[in-house]
mmCIF file with all atom_site columns, all heavy atoms in Angstrom:
data_model
loop_
_atom_site.group_PDB
_atom_site.id
_atom_site.type_symbol
_atom_site.label_atom_id
_atom_site.label_alt_id
_atom_site.label_comp_id
_atom_site.label_asym_id
_atom_site.label_entity_id
_atom_site.label_seq_id
_atom_site.pdbx_PDB_ins_code
_atom_site.Cartn_x
_atom_site.Cartn_y
_atom_site.Cartn_z
_atom_site.occupancy
_atom_site.B_iso_or_equiv
_atom_site.pdbx_formal_charge
_atom_site.auth_seq_id
_atom_site.auth_comp_id
_atom_site.auth_asym_id
_atom_site.auth_atom_id
_atom_site.pdbx_PDB_model_num
ATOM 1   N N   . ASN I 1 1  ? -35.544 -79.727  19.985 1.00 94.00 ? 1  ASN I N   1
ATOM 2   C CA  . ASN I 1 1  ? -35.650 -80.456  21.248 1.00 94.00 ? 1  ASN I CA  1
ATOM 3   C C   . ASN I 1 1  ? -35.967 -81.932  21.047 1.00 94.00 ? 1  ASN I C   1
ATOM 4   O O   . ASN I 1 1  ? -35.298 -82.801  21.595 1.00 94.00 ? 1  ASN I O   1
ATOM 5   C CB  . ASN I 1 1  ? -36.733 -79.812  22.126 1.00 94.00 ? 1  ASN I CB  1
ATOM 6   C CG  . ASN I 1 1  ? -36.332 -78.440  22.604 1.00 94.00 ? 1  ASN I CG  1
ATOM 7   O OD1 . ASN I 1 1  ? -35.202 -78.220  22.975 1.00 94.00 ? 1  ASN I OD1 1
ATOM 8   N ND2 . ASN I 1 1  ? -37.281 -77.504  22.586 1.00 94.00 ? 1  ASN I ND2 1
ATOM 9   N N   . SER I 1 2  ? -37.026 -82.210  20.290 1.00 96.00 ? 2  SER I N   1
ATOM 10  C CA  . SER I 1 2  ? -37.424 -83.603  20.107 1.00 96.00 ? 2  SER I CA  1
ATOM 11  C C   . SER I 1 2  ? -38.136 -83.777  18.782 1.00 96.00 ? 2  SER I C   1
ATOM 12  O O   . SER I 1 2  ? -38.649 -82.819  18.193 1.00 96.00 ? 2  SER I O   1
ATOM 13  C CB  . SER I 1 2  ? -38.333 -84.070  21.252 1.00 96.00 ? 2  SER I CB  1
ATOM 14  O OG  . SER I 1 2  ? -39.561 -83.370  21.224 1.00 96.00 ? 2  SER I OG  1
ATOM 15  N N   . ILE I 1 3  ? -38.172 -85.013  18.327 1.00 97.00 ? 3  ILE I N   1
ATOM 16  C CA  . ILE I 1 3  ? -38.860 -85.376  17.092 1.00 97.00 ? 3  ILE I CA  1
ATOM 17  C C   . ILE I 1 3  ? -39.740 -86.581  17.390 1.00 97.00 ? 3  ILE I C   1
ATOM 18  O O   . ILE I 1 3  ? -39.282 -87.558  18.006 1.00 97.00 ? 3  ILE I O   1
ATOM 19  C CB  . ILE I 1 3  ? -37.860 -85.720  15.973 1.00 97.00 ? 3  ILE I CB  1
ATOM 20  C CG1 . ILE I 1 3  ? -37.012 -84.491  15.614 1.00 97.00 ? 3  ILE I CG1 1
ATOM 21  C CG2 . ILE I 1 3  ? -38.595 -86.234  14.733 1.00 97.00 ? 3  ILE I CG2 1
ATOM 22  C CD1 . ILE I 1 3  ? -35.888 -84.801  14.649 1.00 97.00 ? 3  ILE I CD1 1
ATOM 23  N N   . GLN I 1 4  ? -40.987 -86.496  16.981 1.00 98.00 ? 4  GLN I N   1
ATOM 24  C CA  . GLN I 1 4  ? -41.906 -87.626  17.088 1.00 98.00 ? 4  GLN I CA  1
ATOM 25  C C   . GLN I 1 4  ? -42.308 -88.069  15.685 1.00 98.00 ? 4  GLN I C   1
ATOM 26  O O   . GLN I 1 4  ? -42.747 -87.249  14.883 1.00 98.00 ? 4  GLN I O   1
ATOM 27  C CB  . GLN I 1 4  ? -43.161 -87.248  17.871 1.00 98.00 ? 4  GLN I CB  1
ATOM 28  C CG  . GLN I 1 4  ? -42.932 -86.991  19.348 1.00 98.00 ? 4  GLN I CG  1
ATOM 29  C CD  . GLN I 1 4  ? -44.228 -86.564  20.020 1.00 98.00 ? 4  GLN I CD  1
ATOM 30  O OE1 . GLN I 1 4  ? -44.921 -85.683  19.544 1.00 98.00 ? 4  GLN I OE1 1
ATOM 31  N NE2 . GLN I 1 4  ? -44.549 -87.202  21.140 1.00 98.00 ? 4  GLN I NE2 1
ATOM 32  N N   . VAL I 1 5  ? -42.133 -89.333  15.407 1.00 98.00 ? 5  VAL I N   1
ATOM 33  C CA  . VAL I 1 5  ? -42.600 -89.909  14.152 1.00 98.00 ? 5  VAL I CA  1
ATOM 34  C C   . VAL I 1 5  ? -43.776 -90.809  14.499 1.00 98.00 ? 5  VAL I C   1
ATOM 35  O O   . VAL I 1 5  ? -43.620 -91.830  15.171 1.00 98.00 ? 5  VAL I O   1
ATOM 36  C CB  . VAL I 1 5  ? -41.501 -90.701  13.427 1.00 98.00 ? 5  VAL I CB  1
ATOM 37  C CG1 . VAL I 1 5  ? -42.052 -91.305  12.132 1.00 98.00 ? 5  VAL I CG1 1
ATOM 38  C CG2 . VAL I 1 5  ? -40.306 -89.800  13.130 1.00 98.00 ? 5  VAL I CG2 1
ATOM 39  N N   . VAL I 1 6  ? -44.961 -90.396  14.061 1.00 98.00 ? 6  VAL I N   1
ATOM 40  C CA  . VAL I 1 6  ? -46.183 -91.147  14.357 1.00 98.00 ? 6  VAL I CA  1
ATOM 41  C C   . VAL I 1 6  ? -46.520 -91.977  13.122 1.00 98.00 ? 6  VAL I C   1
ATOM 42  O O   . VAL I 1 6  ? -46.927 -91.436  12.092 1.00 98.00 ? 6  VAL I O   1
ATOM 43  C CB  . VAL I 1 6  ? -47.349 -90.202  14.703 1.00 98.00 ? 6  VAL I CB  1
ATOM 44  C CG1 . VAL I 1 6  ? -48.590 -91.012  15.068 1.00 98.00 ? 6  VAL I CG1 1
ATOM 45  C CG2 . VAL I 1 6  ? -46.958 -89.260  15.839 1.00 98.00 ? 6  VAL I CG2 1
ATOM 46  N N   . VAL I 1 7  ? -46.327 -93.268  13.226 1.00 98.00 ? 7  VAL I N   1
ATOM 47  C CA  . VAL I 1 7  ? -46.667 -94.171  12.116 1.00 98.00 ? 7  VAL I CA  1
ATOM 48  C C   . VAL I 1 7  ? -48.135 -94.555  12.288 1.00 98.00 ? 7  VAL I C   1
ATOM 49  O O   . VAL I 1 7  ? -48.489 -95.408  13.102 1.00 98.00 ? 7  VAL I O   1
ATOM 50  C CB  . VAL I 1 7  ? -45.769 -95.418  12.101 1.00 98.00 ? 7  VAL I CB  1
ATOM 51  C CG1 . VAL I 1 7  ? -46.152 -96.319  10.922 1.00 98.00 ? 7  VAL I CG1 1
ATOM 52  C CG2 . VAL I 1 7  ? -44.299 -95.019  12.008 1.00 98.00 ? 7  VAL I CG2 1
ATOM 53  N N   . ASP I 1 8  ? -49.000 -93.877  11.541 1.00 98.00 ? 8  ASP I N   1
ATOM 54  C CA  . ASP I 1 8  ? -50.443 -94.125  11.651 1.00 98.00 ? 8  ASP I CA  1
ATOM 55  C C   . ASP I 1 8  ? -50.838 -95.415  10.951 1.00 98.00 ? 8  ASP I C   1
ATOM 56  O O   . ASP I 1 8  ? -51.666 -96.179  11.448 1.00 98.00 ? 8  ASP I O   1
ATOM 57  C CB  . ASP I 1 8  ? -51.220 -92.955  11.045 1.00 98.00 ? 8  ASP I CB  1
ATOM 58  C CG  . ASP I 1 8  ? -50.998 -91.657  11.801 1.00 98.00 ? 8  ASP I CG  1
ATOM 59  O OD1 . ASP I 1 8  ? -51.295 -91.627  13.005 1.00 98.00 ? 8  ASP I OD1 1
ATOM 60  O OD2 . ASP I 1 8  ? -50.525 -90.680  11.192 1.00 98.00 ? 8  ASP I OD2 1
ATOM 61  N N   . THR I 1 9  ? -50.255 -95.660  9.791  1.00 98.00 ? 9  THR I N   1
ATOM 62  C CA  . THR I 1 9  ? -50.501 -96.891  9.038  1.00 98.00 ? 9  THR I CA  1
ATOM 63  C C   . THR I 1 9  ? -49.163 -97.533  8.721  1.00 98.00 ? 9  THR I C   1
ATOM 64  O O   . THR I 1 9  ? -48.308 -96.907  8.088  1.00 98.00 ? 9  THR I O   1
ATOM 65  C CB  . THR I 1 9  ? -51.252 -96.600  7.721  1.00 98.00 ? 9  THR I CB  1
ATOM 66  O OG1 . THR I 1 9  ? -52.478 -95.929  8.019  1.00 98.00 ? 9  THR I OG1 1
ATOM 67  C CG2 . THR I 1 9  ? -51.538 -97.876  6.965  1.00 98.00 ? 9  THR I CG2 1
ATOM 68  N N   . ALA I 1 10 ? -48.960 -98.734  9.196  1.00 98.00 ? 10 ALA I N   1
ATOM 69  C CA  . ALA I 1 10 ? -47.675 -99.403  8.994  1.00 98.00 ? 10 ALA I CA  1
ATOM 70  C C   . ALA I 1 10 ? -47.368 -99.540  7.507  1.00 98.00 ? 10 ALA I C   1
ATOM 71  O O   . ALA I 1 10 ? -48.237 -99.851  6.694  1.00 98.00 ? 10 ALA I O   1
ATOM 72  C CB  . ALA I 1 10 ? -47.693 -100.771 9.669  1.00 98.00 ? 10 ALA I CB  1
ATOM 73  N N   . PHE I 1 11 ? -46.111 -99.298  7.153  1.00 98.00 ? 11 PHE I N   1
ATOM 74  C CA  . PHE I 1 11 ? -45.645 -99.443  5.773  1.00 98.00 ? 11 PHE I CA  1
ATOM 75  C C   . PHE I 1 11 ? -45.341 -100.919 5.508  1.00 98.00 ? 11 PHE I C   1
ATOM 76  O O   . PHE I 1 11 ? -44.933 -101.654 6.407  1.00 98.00 ? 11 PHE I O   1
ATOM 77  C CB  . PHE I 1 11 ? -44.378 -98.620  5.550  1.00 98.00 ? 11 PHE I CB  1
ATOM 78  C CG  . PHE I 1 11 ? -44.570 -97.120  5.549  1.00 98.00 ? 11 PHE I CG  1
ATOM 79  C CD1 . PHE I 1 11 ? -45.021 -96.456  6.688  1.00 98.00 ? 11 PHE I CD1 1
ATOM 80  C CD2 . PHE I 1 11 ? -44.283 -96.367  4.421  1.00 98.00 ? 11 PHE I CD2 1
ATOM 81  C CE1 . PHE I 1 11 ? -45.190 -95.072  6.698  1.00 98.00 ? 11 PHE I CE1 1
ATOM 82  C CE2 . PHE I 1 11 ? -44.441 -94.988  4.419  1.00 98.00 ? 11 PHE I CE2 1
ATOM 83  C CZ  . PHE I 1 11 ? -44.900 -94.342  5.552  1.00 98.00 ? 11 PHE I CZ  1
ATOM 84  N N   . ASN I 1 12 ? -45.509 -101.323 4.283  1.00 98.00 ? 12 ASN I N   1
ATOM 85  C CA  . ASN I 1 12 ? -45.014 -102.633 3.884  1.00 98.00 ? 12 ASN I CA  1
ATOM 86  C C   . ASN I 1 12 ? -43.657 -102.435 3.210  1.00 98.00 ? 12 ASN I C   1
ATOM 87  O O   . ASN I 1 12 ? -43.156 -101.320 3.099  1.00 98.00 ? 12 ASN I O   1
ATOM 88  C CB  . ASN I 1 12 ? -46.012 -103.374 2.990  1.00 98.00 ? 12 ASN I CB  1
ATOM 89  C CG  . ASN I 1 12 ? -46.345 -102.605 1.717  1.00 98.00 ? 12 ASN I CG  1
ATOM 90  O OD1 . ASN I 1 12 ? -45.773 -101.554 1.440  1.00 98.00 ? 12 ASN I OD1 1
ATOM 91  N ND2 . ASN I 1 12 ? -47.282 -103.129 0.941  1.00 98.00 ? 12 ASN I ND2 1
ATOM 92  N N   . GLY I 1 13 ? -43.053 -103.491 2.767  1.00 98.00 ? 13 GLY I N   1
ATOM 93  C CA  . GLY I 1 13 ? -41.723 -103.381 2.176  1.00 98.00 ? 13 GLY I CA  1
ATOM 94  C C   . GLY I 1 13 ? -40.666 -103.139 3.233  1.00 98.00 ? 13 GLY I C   1
ATOM 95  O O   . GLY I 1 13 ? -40.823 -103.503 4.401  1.00 98.00 ? 13 GLY I O   1
ATOM 96  N N   . THR I 1 14 ? -39.565 -102.476 2.809  1.00 98.00 ? 14 THR I N   1
ATOM 97  C CA  . THR I 1 14 ? -38.466 -102.185 3.742  1.00 98.00 ? 14 THR I CA  1
ATOM 98  C C   . THR I 1 14 ? -38.088 -100.703 3.658  1.00 98.00 ? 14 THR I C   1
ATOM 99  O O   . THR I 1 14 ? -36.955 -100.352 3.297  1.00 98.00 ? 14 THR I O   1
ATOM 100 C CB  . THR I 1 14 ? -37.244 -103.058 3.416  1.00 98.00 ? 14 THR I CB  1
ATOM 101 O OG1 . THR I 1 14 ? -36.872 -102.833 2.030  1.00 98.00 ? 14 THR I OG1 1
ATOM 102 C CG2 . THR I 1 14 ? -37.537 -104.525 3.653  1.00 98.00 ? 14 THR I CG2 1
ATOM 103 N N   . PRO I 1 15 ? -39.016 -99.813  4.007  1.00 98.00 ? 15 PRO I N   1
ATOM 104 C CA  . PRO I 1 15 ? -38.740 -98.383  3.892  1.00 98.00 ? 15 PRO I CA  1
ATOM 105 C C   . PRO I 1 15 ? -37.852 -97.874  5.025  1.00 98.00 ? 15 PRO I C   1
ATOM 106 O O   . PRO I 1 15 ? -37.806 -98.446  6.116  1.00 98.00 ? 15 PRO I O   1
ATOM 107 C CB  . PRO I 1 15 ? -40.131 -97.762  3.980  1.00 98.00 ? 15 PRO I CB  1
ATOM 108 C CG  . PRO I 1 15 ? -40.871 -98.703  4.880  1.00 98.00 ? 15 PRO I CG  1
ATOM 109 C CD  . PRO I 1 15 ? -40.373 -100.069 4.521  1.00 98.00 ? 15 PRO I CD  1
ATOM 110 N N   . THR I 1 16 ? -37.135 -96.799  4.753  1.00 98.00 ? 16 THR I N   1
ATOM 111 C CA  . THR I 1 16 ? -36.323 -96.134  5.778  1.00 98.00 ? 16 THR I CA  1
ATOM 112 C C   . THR I 1 16 ? -36.486 -94.630  5.643  1.00 98.00 ? 16 THR I C   1
ATOM 113 O O   . THR I 1 16 ? -36.863 -94.107  4.591  1.00 98.00 ? 16 THR I O   1
ATOM 114 C CB  . THR I 1 16 ? -34.826 -96.477  5.642  1.00 98.00 ? 16 THR I CB  1
ATOM 115 O OG1 . THR I 1 16 ? -34.359 -96.035  4.357  1.00 98.00 ? 16 THR I OG1 1
ATOM 116 C CG2 . THR I 1 16 ? -34.575 -97.963  5.820  1.00 98.00 ? 16 THR I CG2 1
ATOM 117 N N   . MET I 1 17 ? -36.191 -93.916  6.720  1.00 98.00 ? 17 MET I N   1
ATOM 118 C CA  . MET I 1 17 ? -36.242 -92.456  6.700  1.00 98.00 ? 17 MET I CA  1
ATOM 119 C C   . MET I 1 17 ? -35.221 -91.898  7.665  1.00 98.00 ? 17 MET I C   1
ATOM 120 O O   . MET I 1 17 ? -34.853 -92.528  8.662  1.00 98.00 ? 17 MET I O   1
ATOM 121 C CB  . MET I 1 17 ? -37.632 -91.943  7.091  1.00 98.00 ? 17 MET I CB  1
ATOM 122 C CG  . MET I 1 17 ? -38.080 -92.348  8.486  1.00 98.00 ? 17 MET I CG  1
ATOM 123 S SD  . MET I 1 17 ? -39.453 -91.345  9.116  1.00 98.00 ? 17 MET I SD  1
ATOM 124 C CE  . MET I 1 17 ? -38.581 -89.820  9.515  1.00 98.00 ? 17 MET I CE  1
ATOM 125 N N   . SER I 1 18 ? -34.730 -90.707  7.361  1.00 98.00 ? 18 SER I N   1
ATOM 126 C CA  . SER I 1 18 ? -33.855 -89.981  8.273  1.00 98.00 ? 18 SER I CA  1
ATOM 127 C C   . SER I 1 18 ? -34.225 -88.506  8.176  1.00 98.00 ? 18 SER I C   1
ATOM 128 O O   . SER I 1 18 ? -34.872 -88.071  7.221  1.00 98.00 ? 18 SER I O   1
ATOM 129 C CB  . SER I 1 18 ? -32.383 -90.192  7.916  1.00 98.00 ? 18 SER I CB  1
ATOM 130 O OG  . SER I 1 18 ? -32.104 -89.670  6.618  1.00 98.00 ? 18 SER I OG  1
ATOM 131 N N   . ILE I 1 19 ? -33.808 -87.739  9.170  1.00 98.00 ? 19 ILE I N   1
ATOM 132 C CA  . ILE I 1 19 ? -34.145 -86.311  9.213  1.00 98.00 ? 19 ILE I CA  1
ATOM 133 C C   . ILE I 1 19 ? -32.864 -85.510  9.412  1.00 98.00 ? 19 ILE I C   1
ATOM 134 O O   . ILE I 1 19 ? -32.059 -85.807  10.305 1.00 98.00 ? 19 ILE I O   1
ATOM 135 C CB  . ILE I 1 19 ? -35.133 -86.004  10.349 1.00 98.00 ? 19 ILE I CB  1
ATOM 136 C CG1 . ILE I 1 19 ? -36.426 -86.787  10.136 1.00 98.00 ? 19 ILE I CG1 1
ATOM 137 C CG2 . ILE I 1 19 ? -35.436 -84.510  10.427 1.00 98.00 ? 19 ILE I CG2 1
ATOM 138 C CD1 . ILE I 1 19 ? -37.389 -86.705  11.300 1.00 98.00 ? 19 ILE I CD1 1
ATOM 139 N N   . GLY I 1 20 ? -32.683 -84.538  8.577  1.00 96.00 ? 20 GLY I N   1
ATOM 140 C CA  . GLY I 1 20 ? -31.484 -83.710  8.683  1.00 96.00 ? 20 GLY I CA  1
ATOM 141 C C   . GLY I 1 20 ? -31.546 -82.562  7.699  1.00 96.00 ? 20 GLY I C   1
ATOM 142 O O   . GLY I 1 20 ? -32.604 -81.973  7.469  1.00 96.00 ? 20 GLY I O   1
ATOM 143 N N   . ILE I 1 21 ? -30.418 -82.274  7.099  1.00 95.00 ? 21 ILE I N   1
ATOM 144 C CA  . ILE I 1 21 ? -30.313 -81.204  6.118  1.00 95.00 ? 21 ILE I CA  1
ATOM 145 C C   . ILE I 1 21 ? -29.511 -81.717  4.926  1.00 95.00 ? 21 ILE I C   1
ATOM 146 O O   . ILE I 1 21 ? -28.896 -82.787  4.999  1.00 95.00 ? 21 ILE I O   1
ATOM 147 C CB  . ILE I 1 21 ? -29.624 -79.951  6.714  1.00 95.00 ? 21 ILE I CB  1
ATOM 148 C CG1 . ILE I 1 21 ? -28.231 -80.313  7.229  1.00 95.00 ? 21 ILE I CG1 1
ATOM 149 C CG2 . ILE I 1 21 ? -30.472 -79.343  7.825  1.00 95.00 ? 21 ILE I CG2 1
ATOM 150 C CD1 . ILE I 1 21 ? -27.428 -79.131  7.763  1.00 95.00 ? 21 ILE I CD1 1
ATOM 151 N N   . ALA I 1 22 ? -29.528 -80.975  3.855  1.00 93.00 ? 22 ALA I N   1
ATOM 152 C CA  . ALA I 1 22 ? -28.755 -81.377  2.682  1.00 93.00 ? 22 ALA I CA  1
ATOM 153 C C   . ALA I 1 22 ? -27.284 -81.495  3.058  1.00 93.00 ? 22 ALA I C   1
ATOM 154 O O   . ALA I 1 22 ? -26.703 -80.601  3.666  1.00 93.00 ? 22 ALA I O   1
ATOM 155 C CB  . ALA I 1 22 ? -28.934 -80.356  1.566  1.00 93.00 ? 22 ALA I CB  1
ATOM 156 N N   . GLY I 1 23 ? -26.676 -82.610  2.724  1.00 94.00 ? 23 GLY I N   1
ATOM 157 C CA  . GLY I 1 23 ? -25.276 -82.842  3.064  1.00 94.00 ? 23 GLY I CA  1
ATOM 158 C C   . GLY I 1 23 ? -25.090 -83.591  4.363  1.00 94.00 ? 23 GLY I C   1
ATOM 159 O O   . GLY I 1 23 ? -24.080 -84.268  4.564  1.00 94.00 ? 23 GLY I O   1
ATOM 160 N N   . THR I 1 24 ? -26.058 -83.460  5.287  1.00 95.00 ? 24 THR I N   1
ATOM 161 C CA  . THR I 1 24 ? -26.029 -84.194  6.561  1.00 95.00 ? 24 THR I CA  1
ATOM 162 C C   . THR I 1 24 ? -27.439 -84.700  6.810  1.00 95.00 ? 24 THR I C   1
ATOM 163 O O   . THR I 1 24 ? -28.175 -84.199  7.660  1.00 95.00 ? 24 THR I O   1
ATOM 164 C CB  . THR I 1 24 ? -25.554 -83.298  7.726  1.00 95.00 ? 24 THR I CB  1
ATOM 165 O OG1 . THR I 1 24 ? -24.395 -82.575  7.346  1.00 95.00 ? 24 THR I OG1 1
ATOM 166 C CG2 . THR I 1 24 ? -25.226 -84.141  8.959  1.00 95.00 ? 24 THR I CG2 1
ATOM 167 N N   . THR I 1 25 ? -27.837 -85.697  6.068  1.00 97.00 ? 25 THR I N   1
ATOM 168 C CA  . THR I 1 25 ? -29.240 -86.114  6.039  1.00 97.00 ? 25 THR I CA  1
ATOM 169 C C   . THR I 1 25 ? -29.710 -86.809  7.314  1.00 97.00 ? 25 THR I C   1
ATOM 170 O O   . THR I 1 25 ? -30.909 -86.991  7.513  1.00 97.00 ? 25 THR I O   1
ATOM 171 C CB  . THR I 1 25 ? -29.486 -87.044  4.847  1.00 97.00 ? 25 THR I CB  1
ATOM 172 O OG1 . THR I 1 25 ? -28.595 -88.161  4.918  1.00 97.00 ? 25 THR I OG1 1
ATOM 173 C CG2 . THR I 1 25 ? -29.265 -86.294  3.533  1.00 97.00 ? 25 THR I CG2 1
ATOM 174 N N   . SER I 1 26 ? -28.780 -87.207  8.198  1.00 97.00 ? 26 SER I N   1
ATOM 175 C CA  . SER I 1 26 ? -29.162 -87.848  9.462  1.00 97.00 ? 26 SER I CA  1
ATOM 176 C C   . SER I 1 26 ? -28.776 -86.995  10.657 1.00 97.00 ? 26 SER I C   1
ATOM 177 O O   . SER I 1 26 ? -28.586 -87.515  11.765 1.00 97.00 ? 26 SER I O   1
ATOM 178 C CB  . SER I 1 26 ? -28.509 -89.232  9.578  1.00 97.00 ? 26 SER I CB  1
ATOM 179 O OG  . SER I 1 26 ? -28.964 -90.100  8.565  1.00 97.00 ? 26 SER I OG  1
ATOM 180 N N   . LYS I 1 27 ? -28.687 -85.689  10.470 1.00 96.00 ? 27 LYS I N   1
ATOM 181 C CA  . LYS I 1 27 ? -28.238 -84.807  11.548 1.00 96.00 ? 27 LYS I CA  1
ATOM 182 C C   . LYS I 1 27 ? -29.132 -84.914  12.775 1.00 96.00 ? 27 LYS I C   1
ATOM 183 O O   . LYS I 1 27 ? -28.647 -84.899  13.910 1.00 96.00 ? 27 LYS I O   1
ATOM 184 C CB  . LYS I 1 27 ? -28.201 -83.357  11.063 1.00 96.00 ? 27 LYS I CB  1
ATOM 185 C CG  . LYS I 1 27 ? -27.766 -82.371  12.151 1.00 96.00 ? 27 LYS I CG  1
ATOM 186 C CD  . LYS I 1 27 ? -27.627 -80.956  11.629 1.00 96.00 ? 27 LYS I CD  1
ATOM 187 C CE  . LYS I 1 27 ? -27.169 -80.024  12.750 1.00 96.00 ? 27 LYS I CE  1
ATOM 188 N NZ  . LYS I 1 27 ? -26.967 -78.628  12.280 1.00 96.00 ? 27 LYS I NZ  1
ATOM 189 N N   . TYR I 1 28 ? -30.445 -85.020  12.585 1.00 97.00 ? 28 TYR I N   1
ATOM 190 C CA  . TYR I 1 28 ? -31.368 -85.014  13.715 1.00 97.00 ? 28 TYR I CA  1
ATOM 191 C C   . TYR I 1 28 ? -32.013 -86.371  13.985 1.00 97.00 ? 28 TYR I C   1
ATOM 192 O O   . TYR I 1 28 ? -32.520 -86.612  15.071 1.00 97.00 ? 28 TYR I O   1
ATOM 193 C CB  . TYR I 1 28 ? -32.448 -83.953  13.510 1.00 97.00 ? 28 TYR I CB  1
ATOM 194 C CG  . TYR I 1 28 ? -31.876 -82.553  13.449 1.00 97.00 ? 28 TYR I CG  1
ATOM 195 C CD1 . TYR I 1 28 ? -31.905 -81.823  12.270 1.00 97.00 ? 28 TYR I CD1 1
ATOM 196 C CD2 . TYR I 1 28 ? -31.288 -81.975  14.558 1.00 97.00 ? 28 TYR I CD2 1
ATOM 197 C CE1 . TYR I 1 28 ? -31.369 -80.544  12.205 1.00 97.00 ? 28 TYR I CE1 1
ATOM 198 C CE2 . TYR I 1 28 ? -30.746 -80.696  14.513 1.00 97.00 ? 28 TYR I CE2 1
ATOM 199 C CZ  . TYR I 1 28 ? -30.788 -79.986  13.329 1.00 97.00 ? 28 TYR I CZ  1
ATOM 200 O OH  . TYR I 1 28 ? -30.242 -78.733  13.275 1.00 97.00 ? 28 TYR I OH  1
ATOM 201 N N   . SER I 1 29 ? -32.028 -87.246  13.000 1.00 97.00 ? 29 SER I N   1
ATOM 202 C CA  . SER I 1 29 ? -32.584 -88.583  13.208 1.00 97.00 ? 29 SER I CA  1
ATOM 203 C C   . SER I 1 29 ? -32.008 -89.526  12.171 1.00 97.00 ? 29 SER I C   1
ATOM 204 O O   . SER I 1 29 ? -32.017 -89.224  10.968 1.00 97.00 ? 29 SER I O   1
ATOM 205 C CB  . SER I 1 29 ? -34.112 -88.559  13.092 1.00 97.00 ? 29 SER I CB  1
ATOM 206 O OG  . SER I 1 29 ? -34.646 -89.869  13.180 1.00 97.00 ? 29 SER I OG  1
ATOM 207 N N   . ALA I 1 30 ? -31.531 -90.676  12.634 1.00 97.00 ? 30 ALA I N   1
ATOM 208 C CA  . ALA I 1 30 ? -30.933 -91.663  11.741 1.00 97.00 ? 30 ALA I CA  1
ATOM 209 C C   . ALA I 1 30 ? -31.980 -92.665  11.277 1.00 97.00 ? 30 ALA I C   1
ATOM 210 O O   . ALA I 1 30 ? -33.073 -92.771  11.840 1.00 97.00 ? 30 ALA I O   1
ATOM 211 C CB  . ALA I 1 30 ? -29.800 -92.387  12.453 1.00 97.00 ? 30 ALA I CB  1
ATOM 212 N N   . THR I 1 31 ? -31.647 -93.447  10.250 1.00 97.00 ? 31 THR I N   1
ATOM 213 C CA  . THR I 1 31 ? -32.584 -94.442  9.730  1.00 97.00 ? 31 THR I CA  1
ATOM 214 C C   . THR I 1 31 ? -32.897 -95.522  10.770 1.00 97.00 ? 31 THR I C   1
ATOM 215 O O   . THR I 1 31 ? -33.953 -96.149  10.708 1.00 97.00 ? 31 THR I O   1
ATOM 216 C CB  . THR I 1 31 ? -32.005 -95.112  8.474  1.00 97.00 ? 31 THR I CB  1
ATOM 217 O OG1 . THR I 1 31 ? -30.720 -95.676  8.785  1.00 97.00 ? 31 THR I OG1 1
ATOM 218 C CG2 . THR I 1 31 ? -31.844 -94.101  7.342  1.00 97.00 ? 31 THR I CG2 1
ATOM 219 N N   . SER I 1 32 ? -32.016 -95.708  11.735 1.00 97.00 ? 32 SER I N   1
ATOM 220 C CA  . SER I 1 32 ? -32.225 -96.743  12.755 1.00 97.00 ? 32 SER I CA  1
ATOM 221 C C   . SER I 1 32 ? -33.163 -96.295  13.875 1.00 97.00 ? 32 SER I C   1
ATOM 222 O O   . SER I 1 32 ? -33.528 -97.099  14.744 1.00 97.00 ? 32 SER I O   1
ATOM 223 C CB  . SER I 1 32 ? -30.874 -97.154  13.364 1.00 97.00 ? 32 SER I CB  1
ATOM 224 O OG  . SER I 1 32 ? -30.219 -96.027  13.930 1.00 97.00 ? 32 SER I OG  1
ATOM 225 N N   . ASP I 1 33 ? -33.568 -95.015  13.879 1.00 97.00 ? 33 ASP I N   1
ATOM 226 C CA  . ASP I 1 33 ? -34.399 -94.498  14.971 1.00 97.00 ? 33 ASP I CA  1
ATOM 227 C C   . ASP I 1 33 ? -35.880 -94.844  14.817 1.00 97.00 ? 33 ASP I C   1
ATOM 228 O O   . ASP I 1 33 ? -36.633 -94.797  15.793 1.00 97.00 ? 33 ASP I O   1
ATOM 229 C CB  . ASP I 1 33 ? -34.264 -92.978  15.063 1.00 97.00 ? 33 ASP I CB  1
ATOM 230 C CG  . ASP I 1 33 ? -32.887 -92.548  15.530 1.00 97.00 ? 33 ASP I CG  1
ATOM 231 O OD1 . ASP I 1 33 ? -32.247 -93.320  16.272 1.00 97.00 ? 33 ASP I OD1 1
ATOM 232 O OD2 . ASP I 1 33 ? -32.443 -91.447  15.148 1.00 97.00 ? 33 ASP I OD2 1
#
């Protein structure tokens, strides 16, 4: 239904993340989200 990413402590640098499955790593959330 939904995904919440709670950033408790801001990251430095230029990190990215996505959520999905092997082969479709951005199926549920893209790096731009």
Side-chain angles (χ1 to χ4, degrees):
N1 292 319
S2 66
I3 296 173
Q4 291 178 311
V5 179
V6 183
V7 181
D8 296 301
T9 303
F11 290 63
N12 59 5
T14 56
T16 61
M17 61 162 285
S18 63
I19 300 172
I21 58 176
T24 313
T25 56
S26 297
K27 179 175 181 178
Y28 297 112
S29 175
T31 56
S32 58
D33 291 331

